[in-house]
Amino acid sequence: MEEKDIQQLHAHIIRLLDGKRLKEGLEAMHKLAAGTTGQGIGNAIEEIETTYQYMLQYMKQDCADPERQNLYNKLLADAYTWADKAQRTRLTPISTRLYFDKLRFSQLKPFRTLGELQLEMEAYTENMGLSGLLDNGNGTPNDEISKRHEQAYSDMFHRIWLAGIWDCQEEEEAHKLLSSLLVPVQDLSLFASALTLSLMEIFDSRKLLLLLDCCQHTAEEVRQRATIGAAIIIFLHDKRISAYPALSARIRLLNEDPAFAKNLNTIQIQLWRSRETKKIDKKMREEIIPEMLRNANNITKAKLDLDEDEIPEDINPEWEDWMEKSGMNDKLMEINELQMEGADIYMSTFSQLKTYPFFRDISNWFYPFDAQHSAVAHAIRKQGKRSHSLLGHILQSGIFCNSDKYSFALTIAQIPEEQQKMMEAQFEAQNEANNETSAFEKMEAHSRRPDTISNQYIQDLYRFFKVHPRKKEFHDIFEEPLNLAATQTLKGAFSHAESKLNLAEYLFSKGYTAEALAFYQDIIRNNEGNDAEIFQKAGYCLQQNKDYRNAIEAYWQADSRKPGNSWTLRHLAACHKQLKQYDEALSYYKKVEQIMPDNLNTLFQIGYCLTETKHYEEALAYFFKIEYGNPQSAKAQRAVAWCSFAAGKPEQALKYYEKAISNSPQMQDYLNAGHVHWSMGHAGKAAENYAKAAKLSPSMDDFITLFNKDEEILKEAGIPQEEIPLMRDLIRYMAKQS
């Protein structure tokens, strides 16, 4: 069986088990276990099957069994476990994925145990402190200590990432490492990331329980990473978790913690915000950055436009004029607003800077930024001698995620020292001029906020899953909807009305109306929000998703709570219009007219509804009013023309169609003008207009389709039915001749 077949069969088994179809799942598992001799997998599956059959027989005999559900959950959990083990066993010798490459290598050269690695990491801080006393100034002792530590955290990451399902001893070693007060926080943060990636490869309730322990760690960095990781794993394995009662109970307990629920709410929005990164990246690459580069020469020229004899110190006001006219102010403001919102605006910049050797070690994609890291310490030490280091300020701020900070530091290290000094001088001069010290202090304080830490980590994850050279070999979580509130396991953390409204408002603001609707409806269903705005937004979401009948109901509820609101009335009218309920639409548009008597769009909609209900004379009055208010409106001219034709006033209709054609003729103008000429007995003129309309159509067939749709209108205008097919053929002949 090839790798693809193994993965597909395993996915099929998981779907069966998720659907509580245990018997079918076990049957499929026998196929997956074939060829895993010596691993005990086949025997384990048979044991599950035998126990399950006994349980069912016991149920058949109508015997009460209070432990039946617990036993079923255990059998289901065991089935999941052995299905995962069978897949891993089958793929290990044949898969070309990076994960299995590393796994095979680790089997030949095993990593140190977590206990041994813990001792190495605990010694790091003490060794660094001691080396500071002995350092001769060239940094060598620190570099050696750092490299030993870096090897230790890399081994720790790989040992956890590549681990199968833990036994009790491995779990105990991991618990000891997590509870150590001497292991650096950066290492424990990486520990949480390693658990997350390992769980993405193979589910392990022990690892997930430990990750949940990390969610309550005293260090903010560890806590945020663990919460994000646990949320992702729970989302991916939501249905499976119910088979593990202890795990389910633990998560329910966390859901009831207000601090955890609030944090998860923030993380949910940040995960959804990552959806915008592709759009932002595209906008940055195709619009904002090229525009700024195009205008770079202009601003330089403006700055050099000085008097030859005297260089005054005042700022040229033309610079600001140029910035405004060129749109640069808008672009810069847009970037600033995105950054303030927490959007990932640097993806396009830093995705190109992940080719350094540093990133060849997968653990470095997740290691929190550390100024002592041997890959960047040299560059930082050089700049640290200068008081207001550009690099130092940036790396201590919350501007970049950890991965991008490493990219930035590694890039700065490549710049010649003289150029670095020039950059520093400009930076310091700007700081002194603008008194930026307090601004940087605020940025550094911002970087320590929980929501900043979580947002940066999500961006780290995004970089890895989107940019890593072998990214296609990983399950890209950012291609998932990541709706945590929709999971059975985590929905308790989003049960408060305020939380649901917060999520709904974010989704609504970004145009995800179908997802926002689910939250609004839940709020309404549970009587947690009863004001008109909730119903207005629910109605709008329904309308955007073309559910006009339910949208009308929601808008009606909004109108009953806040009568006479023009926005609600207009949308009620529009929904009725979409359902071709023109009388109902007309009644609402008339109410809007009372509130906004001079609104041309409302007047047009009233005229349209009157036309559809065949009140042509009344409709004409509205269309003439629109034309009077906007004489150059082609839309008004066409409306008057068509309504005049329908009202039996062909001369008036022809006059207005000729106006429209003389300005900016459309295919529909020639088609309708043809109808008017034909109704007046001018078949030749009609055919000429039809031929012009056909030329403007994508094809003759498209034109004939439109022509045929107006057959009833032509008959009402007095055209004999038997002449209609003759005209169609005449148009085809004329098209060939032209």
Side-chain angles (χ1 to χ4, degrees):
M1 194 180 291
E2 294 183 359
E3 180 175 354
K4 184 180 177 182
D5 299 322
I6 294 168
Q7 290 173 333
Q8 288 177 346
L9 179 55
H10 176 261
H12 173 64
I13 292 166
I14 297 302
R15 284 194 295 272
L16 291 172
L17 298 180
D18 283 347
K20 303 293 189 288
R21 296 159 65 181
L22 181 54
K23 181 182 182 299
E24 296 168 79
L26 290 168
E27 289 172 355
M29 283 170 65
H30 282 296
K31 297 178 187 176
L32 187 61
T36 61
T37 54
Q39 303 293 324
I41 296 174
N43 291 338
I45 296 169
E46 288 176 6
E47 285 179 19
I48 297 169
E49 202 162 23
T50 301
T51 305
Y52 190 41
Q53 287 173 353
Y54 280 130
M55 190 194 90
L56 294 176
Q57 285 297 323
Y58 200 58
M59 186 179 83
K60 183 182 176 184
Q61 295 169 13
D62 296 327
C63 297
D65 184 0
E67 290 299 310
R68 181 178 294 147
Q69 189 59 46
N70 289 336
L71 177 58
Y72 180 78
N73 283 337
K74 184 182 183 308
L75 293 174
L76 190 61
D78 288 346
Y80 277 120
T81 297
W82 287 104
D84 290 345
K85 285 183 176 179
Q87 183 206 34
R88 182 182 175 89
T89 303
R90 295 291 300 272
L91 289 178
T92 299
I94 65 168
S95 177
T96 57
R97 285 182 55 211
L98 176 64
Y99 179 82
F100 289 102
D101 284 346
K102 298 284 187 183
L103 180 58
R104 286 190 293 269
F105 183 78
S106 72
Q107 291 171 343
L108 295 172
K109 187 180 177 182
F111 296 103
R112 288 171 283 177
T113 66
L114 288 179
E116 292 169 334
L117 292 167
Q118 179 182 335
L119 291 174
E120 180 80 53
M121 290 184 285
E122 285 176 339
Y124 170 66
T125 305
E126 182 180 348
N127 290 338
M128 285 295 285
L130 184 61
S131 73
L133 299 174
L134 302 176
D135 195 348
N136 60 11
N138 61 15
T140 304
N142 281 8
D143 287 347
E144 291 174 357
I145 294 168
S146 293
K147 286 177 181 177
R148 286 204 306 271
H149 170 245
E150 289 154 20
Q151 187 60 56
Y153 80 59
S154 177
D155 287 354
M156 180 268 291
F157 175 89
H158 283 85
R159 183 169 186 88
I160 295 171
W161 176 43
L162 301 172
I165 295 171
W166 275 347
D167 57 28
C168 293
Q169 182 182 345
E170 290 171 309
E171 182 185 18
E172 185 180 352
E173 285 186 345
H175 266 292
K176 286 181 180 177
L177 194 154
L178 178 62
S179 59
S180 171
L181 299 176
L182 299 175
V183 173
V185 169
Q186 294 103 317
D187 296 358
L188 294 177
S189 300
L190 183 66
F191 176 82
S193 296
L195 285 172
T196 302
L197 262 70
S198 181
L199 283 160
M200 288 184 68
E201 295 293 342
I202 182 167
F203 184 86
D204 182 352
S205 61
R206 286 190 171 102
K207 289 199 197 90
L208 185 50
L209 281 166
L210 188 60
L211 193 57
L212 295 174
D213 285 344
C214 294
C215 293
Q216 297 178 304
H217 198 274
T218 54
E220 194 67 60
E221 180 82 36
V222 179
R223 191 160 60 247
Q224 293 301 326
R225 286 186 174 224
T227 305
I228 292 166
I232 290 167
I233 298 306
I234 291 168
F235 174 82
L236 294 175
H237 297 287
D238 183 36
K239 293 182 179 177
R240 176 188 291 217
I241 287 170
S242 63
Y244 302 84
L247 188 54
S248 298
R250 178 69 186 284
I251 297 169
R252 281 197 300 273
L253 200 62
L254 270 176
N255 287 343
E256 293 169 6
D257 179 355
F260 177 80
K262 183 180 179 182
N263 192 34
L264 201 61
N265 188 286
T266 300
I267 287 167
Q268 173 66 94
I269 289 176
Q270 289 171 339
L271 286 170
W272 279 337
R273 191 183 292 139
S274 67
R275 299 177 182 180
E276 305 298 305
T277 303
K278 279 185 182 177
K279 299 177 191 174
I280 294 168
D281 184 36
K282 188 172 186 289
K283 193 176 187 70
M284 292 290 288
R285 285 186 291 104
E286 297 181 6
E287 297 179 33
I288 295 176
I289 293 174
E291 182 68 23
M292 293 173 77
L293 291 174
R294 273 196 300 271
N295 290 310
N297 287 337
N298 293 341
I299 197 166
T300 302
K301 289 175 184 176
K303 287 183 178 181
L304 293 175
D305 186 18
L306 303 173
D307 191 288
E308 291 182 3
D309 300 324
E310 182 183 359
I311 302 181
E313 295 182 358
D314 61 316
I315 295 174
N316 187 345
E318 292 179 5
W319 300 351
E320 292 182 6
D321 292 343
W322 171 81
M323 290 282 283
E324 190 66 40
K325 291 174 184 176
S326 68
M328 282 288 287
N329 276 343
D330 292 338
K331 299 291 183 188
L332 293 171
M333 190 177 295
E334 186 176 358
I335 293 173
N336 186 55
E337 287 173 358
L338 287 168
Q339 189 169 356
M340 291 295 291
E341 186 186 280
D344 188 352
I345 65 171
Y346 295 111
M347 176 67 180
S348 58
T349 303
F350 286 100
S351 61
Q352 309 301 316
L353 300 175
K354 304 298 180 189
T355 56
Y356 293 106
F358 172 84
F359 291 107
R360 291 175 191 166
D361 186 337
I362 197 170
S363 65
N364 286 334
W365 289 78
F366 305 100
Y367 197 72
F369 184 78
D370 181 8
Q372 299 295 330
H373 197 288
S374 62
V376 298
H378 182 60
I380 293 173
R381 275 199 295 269
K382 279 199 304 182
Q383 292 219 344
K385 295 172 185 175
R386 298 191 281 276
S387 57
H388 295 287
S389 165
L390 166 64
L391 182 59
H393 274 309
I394 287 176
L395 298 182
Q396 290 176 45
S397 73
I399 297 175
F400 301 144
C401 64
N402 297 283
S403 176
D404 289 354
K405 286 177 182 177
Y406 280 116
S407 294
F408 186 80
L410 292 165
T411 302
I412 288 288
Q414 306 298 314
I415 298 174
E417 191 165 354
E418 287 303 314
Q419 290 185 357
Q420 288 189 38
K421 288 178 181 177
M422 288 175 61
M423 291 169 61
E424 287 297 324
Q426 292 175 355
F427 184 70
E428 288 181 28
Q430 185 177 347
N431 281 352
E432 290 173 9
N434 298 325
N435 191 22
E436 290 289 331
T437 304
S438 60
F440 276 111
E441 287 173 355
K442 289 178 183 177
M443 287 168 63
E444 289 174 12
H446 177 76
S447 72
R448 294 190 290 272
R449 284 172 35 176
D451 60 329
T452 304
I453 293 170
S454 59
N455 201 46
Q456 286 183 344
Y457 181 54
I458 288 170
Q459 291 177 9
D460 287 330
L461 289 170
Y462 195 89
R463 304 277 183 284
F464 175 74
F465 287 108
K466 297 295 185 183
V467 181
H468 191 277
R470 298 178 72 168
K471 59 183 179 290
K472 291 183 180 178
E473 298 177 20
F474 295 91
H475 180 174
D476 185 353
I477 57 171
F478 293 101
E479 293 300 315
E480 299 281 354
L482 292 176
N483 190 343
L484 308 178
T487 64
Q488 287 297 313
T489 314
L490 289 174
K491 68 178 182 180
F494 300 93
S495 59
H496 295 290
E498 183 182 354
S499 173
K500 286 184 277 192
L501 184 59
N502 189 32
L503 298 179
E505 296 290 271
Y506 174 79
L507 290 166
F508 187 85
S509 70
K510 296 299 179 183
Y512 299 110
T513 52
E515 291 169 275
L517 176 64
F519 288 103
Y520 287 129
Q521 288 178 326
D522 195 39
I523 291 167
I524 292 167
R525 189 164 45 247
N526 294 317
N527 294 316
E528 294 168 331
N530 203 31
D531 62 338
E533 186 176 326
I534 294 288
F535 286 96
Q536 283 179 332
K537 288 179 176 177
Y540 183 82
C541 292
L542 288 160
Q543 184 179 354
Q544 290 298 107
N545 289 280
K546 304 189 187 307
D547 187 353
Y548 301 114
R549 294 187 188 281
N550 284 317
I552 287 170
E553 174 62 25
Y555 287 139
W556 186 87
Q557 292 287 350
D559 187 51
S560 67
R561 285 161 176 77
K562 189 178 179 181
N565 181 272
S566 62
W567 188 93
T568 305
L569 295 171
R570 283 191 294 110
H571 284 76
L572 268 167
C575 288
H576 280 295
K577 181 184 164 190
Q578 286 293 333
L579 294 172
K580 301 190 185 304
Q581 297 170 348
Y582 297 111
D583 287 324
E584 291 86 346
L586 187 59
S587 69
Y588 284 112
Y589 280 128
K590 287 287 185 76
K591 289 181 181 179
V592 177
E593 184 188 14
Q594 291 174 4
I595 302 168
M596 308 163 64
D598 297 320
N599 184 279
L600 296 182
N601 183 60
T602 301
L603 298 177
F604 183 87
Q605 296 301 336
I606 291 172
Y608 179 88
C609 291
L610 287 167
T611 301
E612 291 296 324
T613 54
K614 302 189 185 305
H615 294 88
Y616 301 120
E617 291 294 342
E618 192 178 349
L620 271 171
Y622 276 94
F623 291 140
F624 278 127
K625 187 175 180 180
I626 296 167
E627 191 202 16
Y628 180 79
N630 189 1
Q632 303 305 315
S633 171
K635 185 178 180 181
Q637 292 168 1
R638 292 185 177 101
V640 170
W642 180 253
C643 199
S644 298
F645 174 58
K649 299 178 178 180
E651 293 83 1
Q652 183 170 281
L654 194 58
K655 171 187 168 185
Y656 277 92
Y657 275 126
E658 286 173 350
K659 270 188 185 181
I661 288 170
S662 66
N663 292 328
S664 53
Q666 297 179 2
M667 183 278 297
Q668 197 75 40
D669 295 331
Y670 286 115
L671 174 66
N672 293 338
H675 294 343
V676 176
H677 275 296
W678 201 2
S679 71
M680 296 171 70
H682 308 147
K685 284 279 188 183
E688 289 174 10
N689 278 276
Y690 289 145
K692 289 176 182 177
K695 278 187 180 181
L696 294 177
S697 297
S699 68
M700 177 58 73
D701 288 341
D702 288 324
F703 169 76
I704 294 298
T705 299
L706 288 172
F707 180 86
N708 289 340
K709 282 182 180 178
D710 289 347
E711 190 169 327
E712 288 302 316
I713 294 168
L714 291 171
K715 286 191 284 185
E716 288 177 9
I719 306 299
Q721 183 169 358
E722 59 271 17
E723 289 189 12
I724 293 175
L726 302 180
M727 180 62 77
R728 279 200 301 262
D729 287 343
L730 175 59
I731 297 165
R732 289 184 184 277
Y733 275 116
M734 290 177 71
K736 278 189 178 181
Q737 290 170 0
S738 62

